[in-house]
Amino acid sequence: DTEVTQTPKHLVMGMTNKKSLKCEQHMGHRAMYWYKQKAKKPPELMFVYSYEKLSINESVPSRFSPECPNSSLLNLHLHALQPEDSALYLCASSQEAGTANYGYTFGSGTRLTVV
Amino acid sequence: AQSVTQLGSHVSVSEGALVLLRCNYSSSVPPYLFWYVQYPNQGLQLLLKYTSAATLVKGINGFEAEFKKSETSFHLTKPSAHMSDAAEYFCAVSPLGYSTLTFGKGTMLLVSP
């Protein structure tokens, strides 16, 4: 298995809703990432998990809450989002923590629309 | 913080023509460098990477890139464009000792028949 699987592929939520994005990899990768990508823009780093521990939080608002229940799974919990949070949310994993030597494997993303 | 600059937000080529997408990095110490491709409504796929080994790097789908320290560049090339190469291309940098990637603004490659 050489894939990163993200679910759901599309999500529409209201500003008062609570939802979660899921990301799964079975490659034994030790680092996992959440990126946010607005239309016509490059991906921007949100969170980094190394060995299931949060190692980087790029000053992301608290309405985004990451969770890493085990080495294969990464969640992003969403609560009280704003319309400007609408974007493509990408999950990625890399073989080693502490180096990008091997590059990242990206999932196909969750297209989030906040109404 | 290290960054990469991609010259040209759009590049147009004819099918069969040479593809050249430009990327320059800002660092006194050569970092790790990557090229990714993104098709519409999809994630990013790694094309190739430079990690301090050979300066001429060959990737998937016939792409290659040459690391030039003197020019702080890592331009992506392909001898002959295919219609299927039409996509957004991102250059990315990672400082040594870190696992994070920082992406350039991207270059949209348009291929005409």
Side-chain angles (χ1 to χ4, degrees):
Chain A
D1 189 352
T2 58
E3 289 186 345
V4 172
T5 303
Q6 289 188 245
T7 54
K9 293 197 180 302
H10 300 274
L11 178 63
V12 179
M13 61 184 292
M15 290 187 284
T16 58
N17 291 161
K18 287 185 180 181
K19 297 287 184 182
S20 297
L21 309 184
K22 179 181 174 181
C23 173
E24 202 161 3
Q25 59 89 10
H26 296 286
M27 296 176 282
H29 286 183
R30 292 158 186 183
M32 296 184 75
Y33 311 83
W34 281 113
Y35 277 81
K36 174 181 178 179
Q37 186 178 26
K38 301 282 279 183
K40 309 292 186 186
K41 298 290 187 183
E44 294 180 343
L45 182 65
M46 300 176 71
F47 302 104
V48 179
Y49 272 82
S50 299
Y51 295 98
E52 303 168 45
K53 296 279 191 286
L54 182 64
S55 60
I56 295 178
N57 176 340
E58 290 288 317
S59 302
V60 178
S62 60
R63 58 185 184 269
F64 295 92
S65 176
E67 178 196 20
C68 189
N70 58 58
S71 60
S72 299
L73 188 56
L74 187 65
N75 297 320
L76 186 62
H77 302 298
L78 314 173
H79 173 56
L81 295 192
Q82 303 297 311
E84 59 264 30
D85 297 321
S86 298
L88 181 67
Y89 288 83
L90 293 163
C91 176
S93 68
S94 62
Q95 187 167 333
E96 296 290 340
T99 176
N101 186 30
Y102 299 97
Y104 288 5
T105 301
F106 279 88
S108 57
T110 294
R111 175 73 61 187
L112 174 68
T113 303
V114 182
V115 297
Chain B
Q2 294 195 356
S3 63
V4 288
T5 301
Q6 292 184 242
L7 292 178
S9 59
H10 291 80
V11 170
S12 295
V13 300
S14 298
E15 193 172 20
L18 172 71
V19 175
L20 171 61
L21 304 181
R22 300 177 187 273
C23 174
N24 288 87
Y25 66 91
S26 61
S27 172
S28 57
V29 177
Y32 292 158
L33 293 160
F34 306 82
W35 276 101
Y36 282 85
V37 62
Q38 185 176 32
Y39 297 97
N41 296 313
Q42 293 190 24
L44 283 76
Q45 181 182 15
L46 179 65
L47 284 175
L48 47 79
K49 59 182 179 177
Y50 168 76
T51 54
S52 308
T55 56
L56 182 60
V57 181
K58 294 188 184 299
I60 62 171
N61 302 339
F63 285 94
E64 64 180 39
E66 186 171 8
F67 174 77
K68 292 187 177 180
K69 184 178 178 180
S70 61
E71 298 177 6
T72 61
S73 69
F74 190 57
H75 302 331
L76 182 71
T77 61
K78 181 174 181 178
S80 177
H82 288 219
M83 297 294 290
S84 59
D85 294 326
E88 185 95 32
Y89 290 80
F90 291 98
C91 183
V93 63
S94 180
L96 299 185
Y98 292 86
S99 67
T100 55
L101 286 183
T102 300
F103 291 87
K105 293 187 175 182
T107 298
M108 178 65 72
L109 177 64
L110 307 169
V111 182
S112 56

